Amino acid sequence: MIGIGFGPGLVQNLSSLFVPGLTATFGWTRGDMATAAAIGLIGALIVPLIGRLADRIGARPVIVAGTLLLAGALTGFTVTNGSIWSYQLLIFCSALSVGGTSAVVYGRIIAPRFVRHRGIALGVATSGLSLSTLLLSPVIAGVIADHGWRAGFLTLAALAALIGLPLVLLLLRGAVVAPVHHAGAPEDIAPETFLAGMTGREARRDSRFWRLGAAAALINIASVGLVTQLVPFGIDRGLSLEHAALLVTSFAAAQIVGRLAMGLMVDRFPAQRTAAAFAGVSAMAFAALLMPLPGAVAMIAVVFFALLMHGAENDLLPYLTARLFGLRAYGETYGALLTLALFGTASGVMMFGRLHDSTGDYAIPLAVSAGALALAALLFLTLGDRRAPATARRDRTRYDGAAAGVAPTAAS
């Protein structure tokens, strides 16, 4: 929770708080900033390689390197001089840190430990980003109001490097952070747990990999584009700055509810149908944002449902990666899926910014977002489950039996 909560996702979630200050200081338009952010996300192309590295050398060194890189990039924002290319470069560096500060590495630690309740375990872990967004959005907004946007970036850098990373390293002592063949790997996790499933190449040859990646990209096209424009969007709709900032709080609440609800439900119901239902609810909420809404409360509520799928997707994607493709190459496979999702992020961020510049409102991107989420719902329904390998079935008996207090049989 802590490691993911202080990662680059927090910067993305709070990015709309920085838009007024940056545009006023440098004269950039919303479209300029959106395009720069989208180009900078090219750095996410390296995420599958970082996932493969975590599979081979373990999570701890990848976590340290990713967090320090993120803190360095955030510190760099404090000295940017108005050149749009330097802004792009810093976002590029932030994107490079995604592999070491997300479920690419943390999911790899969690998935082998949990089988029957893997969904809620991942939901709790990924909810760290939602909690940090909820708790820190008023703090960062206050820092920006009192000391300027540069101080806001510096505060985020300090939180990642001086609070988040030391706590993570402290709490990871004794956890499964290295490949099972490394010295110190715990005896209570069977080697077969890590070997069950597909290689990265086999996963990419499975059509479900590309359908799942396309669904994640469509969700991000809709959701992240709106997230990065939430405060300006609220102001355009007649809200005061204080009420517009509450839209960020609504988004954070949707993240928490989405992650935990999705985690609980996929442990009990078919994950694909659950995902389709969440995407359908968010699609209808985006359609509702196209209509006039009576006041701040109604807008806050509709934004909550519009961004509910975005919260759920951050738990769903690592869960389905482990379920559909196994743990053998989890880091590499999830990293590749995350890269596809980040292409959707870049497209959505650019779409919302540029279309606002050209049309003067957000009607077209909101309509596109509603359609994208509806299509994502259909893609989820096309995903079938693989039959678990024999090693994975023995592993389920072992863990779930132990959790229930049942002694494992000789076969298990």
Side-chain angles (χ1 to χ4, degrees):
M1 288 178 68
I2 294 170
I4 294 174
F6 288 113
L10 177 62
V11 183
Q12 182 183 83
N13 289 353
L14 301 183
S15 61
S16 65
L17 297 174
F18 293 89
V19 171
L22 286 166
T23 54
T25 302
F26 301 125
W28 298 336
T29 68
R30 298 179 196 177
D32 291 335
M33 292 187 63
T35 301
I39 294 173
L41 285 171
I42 292 173
L45 289 172
I46 201 173
V47 171
L49 299 178
I50 297 174
R52 180 183 294 181
L53 186 66
D55 288 334
R56 294 185 177 182
I57 70 172
R60 185 178 282 109
V62 177
I63 289 169
V64 172
T67 305
L68 293 178
L69 176 60
L70 173 64
L74 290 171
T75 303
F77 281 113
T78 67
V79 296
T80 188
N81 58 6
S83 172
I84 198 71
W85 69 264
S86 65
Y87 183 74
Q88 291 172 349
L89 179 62
L90 290 167
I91 293 177
F92 178 85
C93 292
S94 298
L96 289 178
S97 74
V98 168
T101 53
S102 67
V104 173
V105 290
Y106 291 109
R108 187 185 175 281
I109 296 170
I110 293 167
R113 285 281 187 188
F114 297 89
V115 177
R116 179 175 295 173
H117 299 295
R118 182 177 288 162
I120 188 58
L122 287 167
V124 169
T126 57
S127 69
L129 177 58
S130 311
L131 289 170
S132 63
T133 301
L134 183 65
L135 296 175
L136 293 176
S137 57
V139 174
I140 299 301
V143 170
I144 294 172
D146 294 340
H147 305 287
W149 58 267
R150 296 181 194 273
F153 280 120
L154 188 60
T155 302
L156 290 174
L159 288 170
L162 303 181
I163 297 179
L165 182 58
L167 284 174
V168 166
L169 294 179
L170 176 66
L171 294 169
L172 280 182
R173 290 184 305 172
V176 189
V177 296
V180 75
H181 61 270
H182 281 207
E187 297 179 355
D188 63 330
I189 295 185
E192 292 86 356
T193 303
F194 293 92
L195 298 176
M198 303 180 185
T199 65
R201 178 175 296 181
E202 289 170 342
R204 291 190 295 273
R205 289 177 176 174
D206 190 321
S207 65
R208 295 173 303 171
F209 172 91
W210 298 103
R211 279 176 274 153
L212 179 57
L218 288 166
I219 292 167
N220 283 3
I221 285 174
S223 304
V224 182
L226 178 60
V227 168
T228 57
Q229 300 286 329
L230 271 176
V231 173
F233 170 74
I235 293 173
D236 286 357
R237 288 293 185 93
L239 300 184
S240 65
L241 179 60
E242 292 77 11
H243 285 158
L246 289 177
L247 296 179
V248 179
T249 304
S250 177
F251 158 63
Q255 295 271 286
I256 296 172
V257 174
R259 282 169 166 82
L260 297 180
M262 179 63 76
L264 286 168
M265 293 182 71
V266 297
D267 286 335
R268 292 163 173 79
F269 306 105
Q272 294 87 335
R273 294 180 184 177
T274 303
F278 271 69
V281 168
S282 289
M284 290 186 287
F286 265 97
L289 286 174
L290 287 165
M291 300 179 287
L293 296 171
V297 174
M299 188 173 297
I300 289 169
V302 176
V303 165
F304 172 89
F305 287 106
L307 297 175
L308 190 64
M309 185 63 221
H310 183 259
E313 183 258 349
N314 284 275
D315 175 35
L316 182 72
L317 193 58
Y319 176 87
L320 285 177
T321 300
R323 182 180 181 88
L324 298 180
F325 310 112
L327 300 177
R328 184 176 182 180
Y330 172 87
E332 180 182 351
T333 304
Y334 179 71
L337 287 168
L338 186 59
T339 298
L340 295 176
L342 289 172
F343 273 115
T345 295
S347 301
V349 169
M350 187 182 298
M351 176 184 70
F352 267 77
R354 284 300 179 190
L355 286 177
H356 176 273
D357 281 359
S358 61
T359 64
D361 60 38
Y362 293 102
I364 295 177
L366 289 172
V368 172
S369 297
L373 283 161
L375 181 56
L378 294 176
L379 286 172
F380 281 126
L381 292 175
T382 69
L383 299 176
D385 273 325
R386 68 175 175 88
R387 182 175 175 81
T391 51
R393 292 199 299 275
R394 288 198 298 270
D395 184 58
R396 172 180 285 275
T397 304
R398 174 178 184 163
Y399 281 109
D400 293 352
V406 178
T409 64
S412 67

